[in-house]
Amino acid sequence: MAKYHDSVVEAQFGPRAKAYVESVVHAQGADLQALDAIVAQHGPRHALDLGTGGGHVSYLMARHAARVTAADLSREMLAAVADTAREKGLSNVETVEAPAERLPFPDAAFDFLACRYSAHHWQDFDGGLRQARRVLKSGAPAIFIDACSPGPALFDTHLQAVELLRDTSHVRDYSVSEWMAALHRVGFTVTSSRSWQLRMDFPVWTARMRTPADNVKAIRALQAAASTETRAHFAIEPDGSFLLDITLIEAAAA
């Protein structure tokens, strides 16, 4: 089953590698600015970008870390990241093909870890976090950034439904409380967290994943039928654009 889900993720993201490297949503943002300040403060010797996607975290960390390892299960995505790193003159970025739940690194191999917009694709959430803790030195910082569930079931059900229709490799956007509990279970200490909403431009959001037309129609149907409270929370616009909840959690390996 694990290999099957990995193949779904690879099929979804491999052909879209260039789109994610060039994605404005992924290449910019207040979260990247916050991460840049944190990495600059620590100046890691060897940082891990867990679930690198378009590589934007790796490019950022490469300015402050002696070495950066970008890990992802998509071979095509990693090839795009390696090419982009070379174009940017970042010789300290290396790529490794691996799922978050099965990292091929020794214990305590890294002194910094960042994971951005990746965990909601993991088949085993706790397993991925457990691996993150294993490969970090004791006391090392870890930054987790991801779309998150607002919490209440009314909003959560709507979010998970539209996410899955848009991207069949989606597993779950976890709530902040679910994140906190999971991090505690696997051996992290949470030092701070912050949440905000980010506008998703619906035509761009669906085009980036090449969402099938029938699925796009289904998402729009769910939005049209949503309750007043749901429409208000996500600020759903006439063209389907909406606000997505995002969280940034700072933790340390206990």
Side-chain angles (χ1 to χ4, degrees):
M1 182 64 72
K3 289 184 178 179
Y4 177 72
H5 179 69
D6 290 354
S7 69
V8 172
V9 177
E10 171 68 21
Q12 285 290 92
F13 286 91
R16 297 157 182 80
K18 184 175 176 60
Y20 272 82
V21 169
E22 297 176 350
S23 166
V24 173
V25 168
H26 292 81
Q28 301 175 9
D31 61 316
L32 283 180
Q33 296 175 15
L35 178 60
D36 187 67
I38 295 168
V39 182
Q41 177 184 358
H42 289 278
R45 295 189 62 182
H46 194 181
L48 174 63
D49 179 5
L50 180 58
T52 188
H56 305 292
V57 167
S58 288
Y59 314 143
L60 179 156
M61 294 198 299
R63 300 198 296 265
H64 309 293
R67 294 176 60 197
V68 175
T69 295
D72 203 282
L73 61 77
S74 171
R75 187 172 302 173
E76 291 180 68
M77 195 74 80
L78 290 172
V81 170
D83 288 344
T84 303
R86 282 192 293 271
E87 292 170 4
K88 292 177 176 288
L90 302 173
S91 59
N92 58 337
V93 175
E94 63 177 355
T95 60
V96 174
E97 183 182 346
E101 301 93 336
R102 299 186 299 279
L103 297 178
F105 311 117
D107 295 355
F110 303 93
D111 61 348
F112 194 96
L113 180 146
C115 178
R116 182 175 184 250
Y117 298 142
S118 174
H120 62 275
H121 295 291
W122 299 350
Q123 181 176 2
D124 182 357
F125 184 50
D126 276 35
L129 293 179
R130 194 174 295 112
Q131 283 289 294
R133 172 61 190 90
R134 180 186 67 78
V135 302
L136 269 179
K137 297 180 185 296
S138 181
I143 310 299
F144 298 95
I145 303 166
D146 209 347
C148 66
S149 166
L154 180 66
F155 305 149
D156 179 78
T157 299
H158 176 86
L159 174 65
Q160 309 302 342
V162 300
E163 284 270 49
L164 185 59
L165 283 167
R166 182 247 182 181
D167 170 13
T168 55
S169 71
H170 175 76
V171 175
R172 178 166 181 78
D173 291 333
Y174 297 92
S175 67
V176 173
S177 62
E178 288 175 315
W179 268 100
M180 298 295 188
L183 288 167
H184 176 74
R185 283 195 298 271
V186 304
F188 281 102
T189 299
V190 175
T191 56
S192 71
S193 68
R194 67 196 86 166
S195 299
W196 64 97
Q197 288 187 306
L198 181 65
R199 182 178 182 272
M200 296 289 107
D201 182 298
F202 188 83
V204 174
W205 183 66
T206 51
R208 188 163 55 244
M209 286 308 301
R210 298 181 188 173
T211 304
D214 286 346
N215 290 35
V216 171
K217 290 178 181 178
I219 296 171
R220 297 295 285 121
L222 285 176
Q223 291 178 325
S227 66
T228 300
E229 298 94 331
T230 301
R231 294 183 62 81
H233 176 82
F234 294 104
I236 299 172
E237 301 174 25
D239 73 343
S241 298
F242 66 98
L243 298 181
L244 180 65
D245 292 272
I246 307 293
T247 190
L248 183 155
I249 299 173
E250 295 184 55

